[in-house]
């Protein structure tokens, strides 16, 4: 077996090993993705998702090509391996793969427009001595307009290195009650309700 040198490219991931750390990105994959979906000439945007537009299953909206939409979502899901900043927006678009409408395709293309202006962003893993583990979590209660389920996500940082992150849609429905200054969220899962 022969020595092939330092790792620089692996399964679409570009790896740059420097004296003070390692940088992992998918800039080449992102550029190829722009060409594949004809987005090279479009203008970039600053955020991956328009927060004022609610994603919904519009019954009277124009249907788009299912194969093309799924191909775009698959490609974006692969990018989340080095781009945690698009994980939530891609996850929202992925919910509508069974019957995508024009508004869903517009939202997915907005993610591409965001990536156009931030192609060189990636994960930086510095070589340092600190091993302080910090975790963050966030939730979006009853945020999905289709089924009123909540979404939550977490990220864990070891020193200055992002080591784990995920976003998940809740399995059951939740109800939110506001009473005085207290906010209660009671999750009602279908399995528990079947015994009532």
């Amino acid at each position: 077996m022969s020595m092939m040198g330092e790792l620089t490219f692996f399964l679409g991931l570009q790896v740059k090993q420097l004296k003070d750390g390692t940088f992992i990105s998918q800039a080449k994959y992102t550029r190829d993705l722009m060409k594949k979906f004809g987005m090279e000439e479009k203008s970039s945007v600053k955020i991956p998702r328009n927060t004022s537009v609610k994603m919904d299953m519009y019954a009277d909206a124009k249907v788009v090509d299912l194969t093309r939409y799924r191909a775009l979502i698959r490609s974006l899901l692969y990018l989340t391996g080095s781009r945690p900043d698009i994980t939530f927006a891609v996850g929202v678009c992925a919910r509508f793969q069974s019957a995508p409408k024009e508004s869903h395709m517009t939202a997915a293309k907005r993610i591409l427009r965001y990536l156009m202006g931030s192609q060189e962003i990636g994960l930086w893993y510095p070589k340092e001595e600190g091993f302080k583990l910090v975790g963050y979590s966030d939730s979006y209660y009853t945020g999905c307009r289709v089924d009123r389920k909540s979404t939550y996500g977490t990220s864990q940082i070891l020193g200055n290195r992002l080591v784990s992150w995920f976003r998940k849609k809740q399995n059951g429905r939740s109800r939110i009650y506001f009473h005085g200054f207290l906010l209660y969220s009671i999750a009602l899962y279908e399995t528990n309700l079947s015994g009532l």
Side-chain angles (χ1 to χ4, degrees):
M1 185 169 202
S2 65
M3 183 62 137
M4 298 178 69
E6 280 189 357
L7 176 69
T8 57
F9 196 78
F10 181 72
L11 297 175
L13 294 171
Q14 293 169 257
V15 180
K16 293 180 184 174
Q17 298 180 26
L18 306 168
K19 289 181 189 177
D20 53 347
T22 303
F23 182 69
I24 299 172
S25 70
Q26 289 178 292
K28 183 184 181 311
Y29 181 81
T30 304
R31 285 190 294 274
D32 294 343
L33 194 59
M34 297 298 160
K35 289 177 189 170
K36 179 179 178 181
F37 290 98
M39 298 294 288
E40 312 103 316
E41 304 299 321
K42 302 290 183 182
S43 61
S44 64
V45 293
K46 294 186 182 208
I47 58 173
R49 185 168 180 261
N50 188 348
T51 55
S52 64
V53 174
K54 299 289 183 187
M55 299 288 283
D56 203 348
M57 298 291 281
Y58 299 111
D60 57 348
K62 183 179 174 186
V63 178
V64 296
D65 181 17
L66 181 68
T67 307
R68 185 165 172 80
Y69 184 78
R70 286 182 178 172
L72 175 56
I73 297 301
R74 253 192 324 266
S75 300
L76 290 172
L77 283 170
Y78 186 70
L79 262 177
T80 61
S82 69
R83 297 293 301 262
D85 55 334
I86 64 169
T87 304
F88 180 76
V90 172
V92 170
C93 290
R95 294 175 187 168
F96 302 101
Q97 290 187 75
S98 61
K101 306 292 193 257
E102 194 170 28
S103 60
H104 305 136
M105 181 63 94
T106 302
K109 286 186 175 181
R110 182 183 175 91
I111 299 169
L112 285 177
R113 291 176 56 203
Y114 168 74
L115 291 169
M116 185 180 309
S118 61
Q119 293 179 24
E120 301 300 323
I121 291 179
L123 299 172
W124 171 246
Y125 295 99
K127 292 179 183 176
E128 62 178 36
E129 299 300 321
F131 283 101
K132 180 181 175 185
L133 180 64
V134 178
Y136 297 98
S137 71
D138 193 12
S139 57
Y140 185 40
Y141 294 108
T142 63
C144 182
R145 291 179 61 177
V146 176
D147 55 14
R148 306 306 296 167
K149 292 183 180 178
S150 301
T151 302
Y152 65 93
T154 67
S155 62
Q156 291 74 36
I157 299 171
L158 183 63
N160 288 330
R161 302 169 208 87
L162 181 65
V163 292
S164 170
W165 67 91
F166 79 92
R167 180 207 54 83
K168 181 169 176 26
K169 189 173 181 182
Q170 180 184 10
N171 293 333
R173 292 191 178 103
S174 69
R175 290 184 183 171
I176 297 184
Y177 298 95
F178 184 75
H179 182 70
F181 293 104
L182 300 175
L183 181 68
Y184 296 98
S185 176
I186 303 169
L188 302 173
Y189 293 93
E190 283 80 17
T191 55
N192 294 341
L193 293 176
S194 62
L196 297 177

